[in-house]
Amino acid sequence: MKKLKSCIGLAFLSICIISCASTKISTEKVFADEKEFITSGNALDYKIGKQLKKETLSEKSSHVSVKYSETPVPANVYKLTLENGTYDFTLKSIPTGLMSANEEKKSAMIPEILLYDENFNLIANENLTGAATPPTTFEPFLFMVTTNWNIAESGTYYLVVKADMSSDQGLNLEVFYHNRVATHTALHKFHRVPYGKYKLLIEKM
């Protein structure tokens, strides 16, 4: 009986230790705003002209608090060296469940793009567009974001990519099917989620 009580006590202690450790880690990874996130030392170095093909926002990512919800959203921050001139930005968010017939498994992450200078001044996104693009020979169905930045002063800049959960509106993909008998269309719906994979490319124009 004493051995059983000891085992129960040790098990309870272990659960408490694991629980406390998990809470501490999750709290440390939630930042009050973009400025706190940028100064945390989590910025990833990015080389202009290089395409990043395997970027991810997940439950393990750092999270940033947002004004429109009590739930923080996942985010990544990149450190850039930009010169005077104009830059072209492209991000391609890759939905999940593309081949699934179950709409519950179809989801897409809609990103929000924020560029700051060293003094945490927000750089304007010019010609900002975000739209679903149909599949091609080379790429699947995507949500693509494009914008331009006019950089007045050369220096260090910080790009924050975070999930935009300010709306629950997802994506719709209309697919045309054609065979010898008939042509018909089908509407595939992807619900919005905070997590997903994406590609990123910044080039100087």
Side-chain angles (χ1 to χ4, degrees):
M1 186 67 180
K2 289 183 178 180
K3 288 184 178 180
L4 179 59
K5 288 182 178 180
S6 298
C7 292
I8 294 173
L10 288 172
F12 179 75
L13 179 61
S14 299
I15 292 171
C16 288
I17 292 173
I18 292 171
S19 176
C20 293
S22 300
T23 303
K24 183 179 180 181
I25 292 172
S26 62
T27 302
E28 287 180 349
K29 294 184 71 177
V30 176
F31 300 94
D33 52 28
E34 284 78 25
K35 181 178 179 180
E36 186 178 78
F37 184 29
I38 290 169
T39 57
S40 67
N42 288 300
L44 305 170
D45 289 326
Y46 175 81
K47 184 178 180 180
I48 301 300
K50 180 180 180 180
Q51 184 178 45
L52 303 181
K53 298 181 179 180
K54 297 181 179 180
E55 300 304 282
T56 303
L57 290 179
S58 70
E59 294 178 353
K60 295 181 180 180
S61 301
S62 296
H63 284 59
V64 176
S65 298
V66 290
K67 294 180 180 179
Y68 55 79
S69 173
E70 295 181 356
T71 303
V73 296
N76 287 329
V77 59
Y78 302 88
K79 184 178 180 181
L80 321 173
T81 299
L82 302 180
E83 301 175 348
N84 176 272
T86 303
Y87 288 81
D88 184 45
F89 170 88
T90 303
L91 185 149
K92 297 176 181 179
S93 178
I94 306 168
T96 59
L98 290 170
M99 304 303 293
S100 176
N102 185 354
E103 288 196 354
E104 293 297 322
K105 295 183 178 180
K106 295 181 180 293
S107 63
M109 184 276 293
I110 310 299
E112 183 178 0
I113 310 302
L114 302 167
L115 182 68
Y116 294 89
D117 65 14
E118 290 180 290
N119 298 315
F120 306 105
N121 297 310
L122 188 62
I123 307 301
N125 288 321
E126 299 189 8
N127 303 314
L128 176 66
T129 63
T133 61
T136 65
T137 304
F138 304 101
E139 290 186 313
F141 171 59
L142 298 167
F143 183 84
M144 184 161 66
V145 177
T146 61
T147 191
N148 303 126
W149 299 312
N150 288 318
I151 303 301
E153 297 183 9
S154 301
T156 300
Y157 290 77
Y158 296 93
L159 169 66
V160 175
V161 176
K162 65 180 183 180
D164 182 359
M165 295 299 291
S166 59
S167 167
D168 59 2
Q169 183 177 355
L171 301 178
N172 293 330
L173 172 64
E174 190 174 23
V175 179
F176 292 86
Y177 296 94
H178 177 74
N179 55 40
R180 295 179 181 179
V181 179
T183 299
H184 69 282
T185 63
L187 186 65
H188 298 273
K189 297 182 179 181
F190 294 77
H191 60 279
R192 184 182 293 215
V193 295
Y195 308 124
K197 298 179 180 179
Y198 63 91
K199 300 178 182 179
L200 183 154
L201 176 63
I202 303 171
E203 297 178 296
K204 188 172 184 182
M205 300 175 66

